[in-house]
Amino acid sequence: VEKGISSMSGRFIDMGEVTTPQLHFCVNFFNTHRHFFDLDQMPSEQIVQSLLNHYYTSLYVGFQQLNDTADAADSSNNNCWNHVILDCANGVGSLAVNGFMRVYNSHTHSMIMEIDCKNIARDGPVNEHCGAELVQKNQVKPLIKGLDYHGETADVEFLNKLFCSFDGDADRIVFHGICNGDSDSKPKWILIDGDKIAALFSLLLVRELKAAVAQNSDHCTLEFSLGVVQTAYANGASTRYLHSIGVHTAIAKTGVKYVHHKAVEFDVGIYFEANGHGTVIFSDRFKQELTTWPSSTAVDRLRASVMLINQCVGDALSDMLYCMGALKVLQMTLFQWSELYKDLPSRQQKVAVLNKHLVRCSEDETRILEPAAMQSDLDEAMLSVSNGRCFVRPSGTEDVVRIYAEASTQVEADELAKVTHQIIVKYLCELLER
């Protein structure tokens, strides 16, 4: 690659071992701030150091400003904003955390924030028995080197502690931990997926945006839109929760490139897939207006959000810090976060077919366009169960048609998935035996 770039008289800059989100951030900053860099005079090492310093400083300043707006935390109330046990999936994310902590520890703080990195780079094969994908897809605890997270004493030792898992290149994140809710309940392991991360982001941002706009209504006549972009796979309970707090939702086709492009239609566009990949995008007009508003708690929190959140792409480190800051501002425990809403039971299946292209979906994949009568049968099936919702879509990678079904109970979700399978058989009679 370097030889090819050099042969075209291009400049090759090796960023070294960085996360995928760091690379996106640095490329975007370099391209939008070219006047900062004298390519004729600056060696590559100096350019790399400058870019990474700006990345870490942006995270630090945004995180600190957000925390400075919070009331003093009661450490006896199971607050988890200042300590997280992080599963880095044996990946490069641990190096990014180390870089951030060097900047953080170079300043004086009234309350110390601790990130306890586990499964760091070169501890083992990337993502093996750990990481965000394993935790979210299999809904299991990761293996964490040096901790007995699965042992008999874990329920006591790690009760109400905040755990977090990155994936190998640190662009996805999920949270988890052991909670007991109240003193009478038995401890249980809980998972906070991308849908609930989006809910936390939304809860804070919609509140602060409304307050800031109201405070500046005398001289600001602009209206700003805030919305969450989901895919059809987002649990229906999450969508209902977002509507209950006044957040508009939009559905995009499955895949980060589709939800990202949909998010830019809002002034504050939030997107997260259930797997934990997501971010917030702030429009230029919103950011410009924000600079003109006088300081207030709401305005300062919005400015900190713009600084802290990596708007280029999903960034596990940035998202983790924002969640920790939001938990502190909202005075919310891990259990309270998990209880924002209860996921509806769901079932996913796939049906092997000879020609998956016989199924054509709407742009957001929630409706069937062809075969034309197929959607009518699915609509009827959804009405047969409480809170029924289902959709089918041809896989982008396999010769299968995928099924998603959800309902008020697991029995009903399973039954809806079964009926949906039968409808696929009815309309696509040429099936593969598996």
Side-chain angles (χ1 to χ4, degrees), residues 162-179:
L162 183 65
F163 282 77
C164 175
S165 290
F166 290 0
D167 68 333
D169 65 343
D171 65 352
R172 282 187 280 172
I173 179 174
V174 295
F175 291 86
H176 44 97
I178 300 168
C179 296

Side-chain angles (χ1 to χ4, degrees), residues 219-235:
H219 57 274
C220 176
T221 59
L222 298 176
E223 293 186 1
F224 297 105
S225 59
L226 182 149
V228 174
V229 181
Q230 300 181 308
T231 71
Y233 285 101
N235 194 275

Side-chain angles (χ1 to χ4, degrees), residues 194 284 434:
D284 289 339
R434 289 221 174 159

Side-chain angles (χ1 to χ4, degrees), residues 363-390:
E363 185 176 354
D364 62 11
E365 301 180 324
T366 60
R367 308 284 293 177
I368 295 297
L369 301 179
E370 293 179 1
M374 190 173 179
Q375 187 61 53
S376 296
D377 285 4
L378 292 175
D379 290 338
E380 185 176 342
M382 285 185 267
L383 292 174
S384 68
V385 297
S386 176
N387 287 317
R389 184 173 72 92
C390 69

Side-chain angles (χ1 to χ4, degrees), residues 289-352:
E289 185 66 24
L290 190 59
T291 64
T292 68
W293 291 348
S295 176
S296 69
T297 298
V299 169
D300 291 348
R301 286 172 178 168
L302 290 172
R303 288 173 178 165
S305 300
V306 172
M307 179 71 72
L308 174 54
I309 295 171
N310 185 347
Q311 298 170 57
C312 300
V313 70
D315 184 336
L317 176 55
S318 166
D319 291 339
M320 181 186 72
L321 294 171
Y322 194 75
C323 285
M324 294 174 75
L327 290 172
K328 183 181 181 183
V329 167
L330 297 169
Q331 292 289 282
M332 185 178 291
T333 66
L334 176 61
F335 179 75
Q336 290 168 335
W337 186 8
S338 73
E339 292 293 300
L340 288 179
Y341 61 84
K342 292 285 190 182
D343 280 331
L344 290 169
S346 62
R347 178 67 63 199
Q348 295 189 44
Q349 296 178 353
K350 57 185 180 180
V351 183

Side-chain angles (χ1 to χ4, degrees), residues 22-271:
Q22 284 180 300
L23 184 59
H24 280 263
F25 179 97
C26 292
V27 169
N28 179 72
F29 186 81
F30 182 87
N31 288 335
T32 55
H33 297 79
R34 289 293 296 273
H35 56 285
F36 285 1
F37 304 95
D38 185 346
L39 295 182
D40 294 328
Q41 300 295 327
M42 294 179 69
S44 295
E45 294 79 6
Q46 185 180 350
I47 293 174
V48 171
Q49 191 61 49
S50 176
L51 290 169
L52 291 177
N53 283 343
H54 186 75
Y55 172 81
Y56 292 127
T57 300
S58 295
L59 296 190
Y60 171 75
V61 172
F63 179 69
Q64 197 57 38
Q65 288 178 350
L66 183 60
N67 279 282
D68 286 345
T69 68
D71 295 331
D74 177 7
S75 60
S76 66
N77 191 34
N78 293 329
N79 289 305
C80 50
W81 70 267
N82 63 336
H83 181 211
V84 61
I85 301 170
L86 173 58
D87 157 29
C88 295
N90 302 328
V92 71
S94 61
L95 305 182
V97 172
N98 290 340
F100 170 79
M101 290 306 297
R102 282 194 293 271
V103 175
Y104 182 87
N105 291 329
S106 68
H107 296 77
T108 302
H109 307 277
S110 58
M111 295 187 72
I112 300 300
M113 187 267 295
E114 181 182 358
I115 303 175
D116 188 4
C117 282
K118 303 294 183 182
N119 298 342
I120 63 175
R122 300 179 182 85
D123 263 357
V126 176
N127 294 324
E128 184 172 84
H129 306 306
C130 58
E133 182 174 13
L134 173 118
V135 174
Q136 188 267 329
K137 283 191 174 181
N138 297 341
Q139 299 193 16
V140 296
K141 298 177 184 177
L143 291 179
I144 298 180
K145 188 174 182 179
L147 286 185
D148 190 9
Y149 192 26
H150 294 257
E152 294 180 358
T153 62
D155 287 356
V156 175
E157 184 178 358
F158 302 118
L159 185 64
N160 297 319
K161 300 293 185 183
L162 183 65
F163 282 77
C164 175
S165 290
F166 290 0
D167 68 333
D169 65 343
D171 65 352
R172 282 187 280 172
I173 179 174
V174 295
F175 291 86
H176 44 97
I178 300 168
C179 296
N180 64 348
D182 55 61
S183 57
D184 296 327
S185 61
K186 183 178 179 181
K188 64 177 181 179
W189 182 78
I190 60 171
L191 169 65
I192 304 288
D193 66 4
D195 289 342
K196 280 220 167 107
I197 295 174
L200 182 68
F201 277 41
S202 301
L203 185 61
L204 180 60
L205 287 170
V206 72
R207 187 182 76 173
E208 306 310 329
L209 180 60
K210 286 179 179 178
V213 169
Q215 292 162 5
N216 293 277
S217 58
D218 290 343
H219 57 274
C220 176
T221 59
L222 298 176
E223 293 186 1
F224 297 105
S225 59
L226 182 149
V228 174
V229 181
Q230 300 181 308
T231 71
Y233 285 101
N235 194 275
S238 71
T239 308
R240 279 191 280 275
Y241 171 76
L242 293 170
H243 292 168
S244 75
I245 61 173
V247 174
H248 177 74
T249 60
I251 304 296
K253 187 176 180 180
T254 302
V256 170
K257 64 181 180 181
Y258 300 109
V259 293
H260 189 98
H261 291 160
K262 190 73 175 177
V264 300
E265 297 178 9
F266 297 97
D267 291 298
V268 182
I270 305 164
Y271 73 83

